Amino acid sequence: MKTIQNGDEVLRKGPWMPEEDEILVEYVRQFGARDWSSIRSKGLLPRTGKSCRLRWVNKLKPDLKSGCKFSPEEEKLVVEMQAKLGNKWAKIASCLPGRTDNDVKNFWSTRQKRILRALQRPKMPSGSTDAAADTSDLRKDPSITDYGAFQVHSPSGTGLVPSGFVTPFMFEDDNAFREPPGHLRLRHSVQPFNSLEVDDVLSLKLQDMVAGDSHFTDSDFSQCGRVLDDPRHGSVMYQHSPRMMITPRNARSVKRRPRSRRDARSCFEHHSGTDGGQDSVQMLPEIGLPLIQGNSRDFGVPLSTEQQNNNYLDFLLQTEASSMHSSQMFSPELPSFLTNSQQWEKLPMLYSNDPSIQEPDVKDSDSCSPDSVISGFAADVFDSLEPLCPAAPEWWVARLS
DNA sequence: AACGTTTGCAACCGCGACTCG
DNA sequence: ACGAGTCGCGGTTGCAAACGT
């Protein structure tokens, strides 16, 4: 308990005493939950009106569910409303009887940290055979099924990268893909990593990558918009491992991104002239995010063996390199944060159980460490994710335990 | 058991919106 | 129209309990 002497006035701060609560409750009983500042002016409590109101709203008001964990139904509602309204905690709380805005805010923050912790697990020691142990945070809370990641292989190392992060690229010309000029190699390298197998990888909902402010600036989207306007700019497909999919719900959520991203609108439209390969991924040309198809009847161009034998990170690096030779080809359209190949060389190395794979030796101070990569995400990047398979919660637990 | 670290939550702070004289 | 006071919201902080070593 802190007291502040202000002239003749003494102001109390910090935790409330039971006697103070009693006085406050009695005040509200007599005068109603208003005129908070008069509590102090009447000499009832040495607390600011603000503090009194907060105490009443968050702790003393009848019918509060204090000390009661959020039910799965409440969590679902919070997730959905947060996706729809953003951090409008008071609005969200108004739909949850017995919950305050502070409750919702704290619940959300805790949930975010828990998910981030799971993704920020330090790299496993070389040769470790217990990569699954690093999913402990996820298993601890079966409600968290929203975990997405790709494992990326490259000559410089192997890393687990939150899905969505490895893919914000766009391509000027899909002919470049169909007739690879020798260096345009695509493979979305989703590989099994120990007991956390490919099938365990869940697809990350793209909504927050699109809506988030961390990576894309408005000017980035403006650039993308110009790309869109050029009919020559088609889509690029690349193969990915089976069972990665984006559901209709995900698709809708992508469409729901803020209109302020005006230049990226219509990015989810389908592109004709492609002949359904197995489980393909379609780049969203306007913003460079992938549309991942579980059902390939509608889209997809099968990759050549050569393409499949090369990996995605290599492709990204190579793309960047080629843009140095042909700046018209890629650079103008790339979001600015992607134009530094150093970023790609320092993708987060969160897991690696292959002793032959060494983490690159990164020395410079402004390096892109795992933490810095992940902290670069919008806080809500990991929210509202769609489980990979329909019965994900049970399935997830079963696979990991 | 002792100690250090992590986690969750209660409370505070700053700011913008609103009201009223 | 303007300024002071009040309210409400969202972000941040501090601390106690839980957890790990």
Side-chain angles (χ1 to χ4, degrees):
Chain A
M1 166 63 65
K2 202 160 47 174
T3 57
I4 296 169
Q5 190 82 35
N6 183 11
D8 290 341
E9 266 190 311
V10 177
L11 259 188
R12 287 161 73 100
K13 296 176 78 175
W16 281 65
M17 316 279 284
E19 311 88 82
E20 293 181 293
D21 284 346
E22 276 176 37
I23 293 170
L24 184 55
V25 168
E26 179 58 21
Y27 171 87
V28 173
R29 197 184 63 76
Q30 279 189 28
F31 304 102
R34 55 195 156 81
D35 297 334
W36 298 110
S37 52
S38 70
I39 296 174
R40 192 169 110 206
S41 60
K42 286 178 182 189
L44 296 173
L45 281 173
R47 297 265 186 180
T48 64
K50 213 170 179 174
S51 177
C52 292
R53 180 192 152 271
L54 208 63
R55 182 65 182 173
W56 171 260
V57 166
N58 286 333
K59 297 306 292 180
L60 301 177
K61 207 164 77 171
D63 304 326
L64 290 179
K65 290 185 186 170
S66 10
C68 172
K69 280 195 178 302
F70 274 62
S71 68
E73 291 75 26
E74 287 177 312
E75 175 172 11
K76 186 166 176 282
L77 190 59
V78 171
V79 167
E80 286 174 2
M81 292 194 73
Q82 203 280 340
K84 201 157 74 183
L85 305 171
N87 296 358
K88 301 292 177 192
W89 307 124
K91 192 94 181 162
I92 295 170
S94 70
C95 299
L96 293 162
R99 301 294 185 189
T100 69
D101 56 348
N102 215 34
D103 288 339
V104 177
K105 192 167 54 183
N106 283 335
F107 168 73
W108 187 258
S109 150
T110 300
R111 186 173 177 277
Q112 293 303 97
K113 285 184 207 159
R114 211 160 51 212
I115 295 171
L116 275 178
R117 270 202 307 279
L119 287 171
Q120 281 181 301
R121 285 283 176 202
K123 181 189 172 194
M124 294 295 289
S126 282
S128 165
T129 56
D130 193 19
D134 280 356
T135 61
S136 58
D137 263 3
L138 299 170
R139 282 180 293 169
K140 215 184 279 178
D141 184 351
S143 73
I144 298 178
T145 57
D146 44 2
Y147 178 62
F150 300 129
Q151 192 175 41
V152 176
H153 288 275
S154 86
S156 57
T158 293
L160 182 68
V161 182
S163 57
F165 186 80
V166 293
T167 51
F169 252 75
M170 67 194 66
F171 307 91
E172 183 179 76
D173 186 350
D174 60 350
N175 286 330
F177 165 74
R178 294 182 190 195
E179 296 294 331
H183 60 267
L184 185 56
R185 299 160 180 168
L186 295 169
R187 182 180 174 194
H188 197 185
S189 181
V190 181
Q191 303 286 344
F193 33 99
N194 216 0
S195 57
L196 192 64
E197 297 174 359
V198 167
D199 286 352
D200 291 317
V201 180
L202 306 183
S203 77
L204 179 68
K205 193 172 181 180
L206 298 176
Q207 167 191 3
D208 294 316
M209 282 300 295
V210 179
D213 289 322
S214 302
H215 286 309
F216 296 98
T217 65
D218 280 327
S219 65
D220 292 329
F221 280 98
S222 303
Q223 291 174 337
C224 298
R226 284 198 293 276
V227 175
L228 221 205
D229 292 337
D230 185 336
R232 288 182 306 116
H233 298 306
S235 61
V236 170
M237 313 260 177
Y238 60 96
Q239 188 178 33
H240 75 107
S241 296
R243 299 185 68 170
M244 295 299 295
M245 62 188 291
I246 192 164
T247 67
R249 183 178 137 201
N250 284 344
R252 281 198 304 277
S253 75
V254 171
K255 282 181 178 172
R256 278 207 310 265
R257 73 197 177 285
R259 295 300 268 176
S260 63
R261 305 302 190 197
R262 58 195 181 284
D263 293 316
R265 63 180 170 269
S266 306
C267 71
F268 219 72
E269 288 165 1
H270 296 164
H271 292 258
S272 58
T274 56
D275 58 354
Q278 282 288 96
D279 291 306
S280 61
V281 175
Q282 178 178 16
M283 281 294 187
L284 304 179
E286 298 81 357
I287 56 172
L289 287 172
L291 164 59
I292 305 171
Q293 296 292 326
N295 180 333
S296 58
R297 276 173 305 186
D298 299 321
F299 316 102
V301 176
L303 295 174
S304 69
T305 308
E306 183 194 4
Q307 288 163 342
Q308 292 179 30
N309 286 340
N310 290 284
N311 71 56
Y312 187 55
L313 186 56
D314 287 343
F315 164 74
L316 296 176
L317 296 173
Q318 212 144 11
T319 297
E320 204 282 335
S322 69
S323 74
M324 293 169 66
H325 295 104
S326 171
S327 61
Q328 287 181 328
M329 186 164 178
F330 291 108
S331 294
E333 288 77 40
L334 285 175
S336 55
F337 74 92
L338 289 174
T339 54
N340 178 3
S341 66
Q342 296 299 309
Q343 294 274 324
W344 295 105
E345 288 170 359
K346 296 163 196 163
L347 283 168
M349 301 300 161
L350 302 183
Y351 301 89
S352 176
N353 50 34
D354 181 347
S356 68
I357 295 170
Q358 298 297 316
E359 189 168 349
D361 187 16
V362 177
K363 292 194 178 71
D364 56 300
S365 57
D366 60 353
S367 67
C368 186
S369 69
D371 282 5
S372 69
V373 169
I374 291 172
S375 64
F377 280 72
D380 50 3
V381 155
F382 307 106
D383 303 330
S384 316
L385 304 167
E386 194 77 9
L388 178 62
C389 84
E394 299 75 15
W395 171 85
W396 177 251
V397 171
R399 291 301 295 261
L400 293 179
S401 52

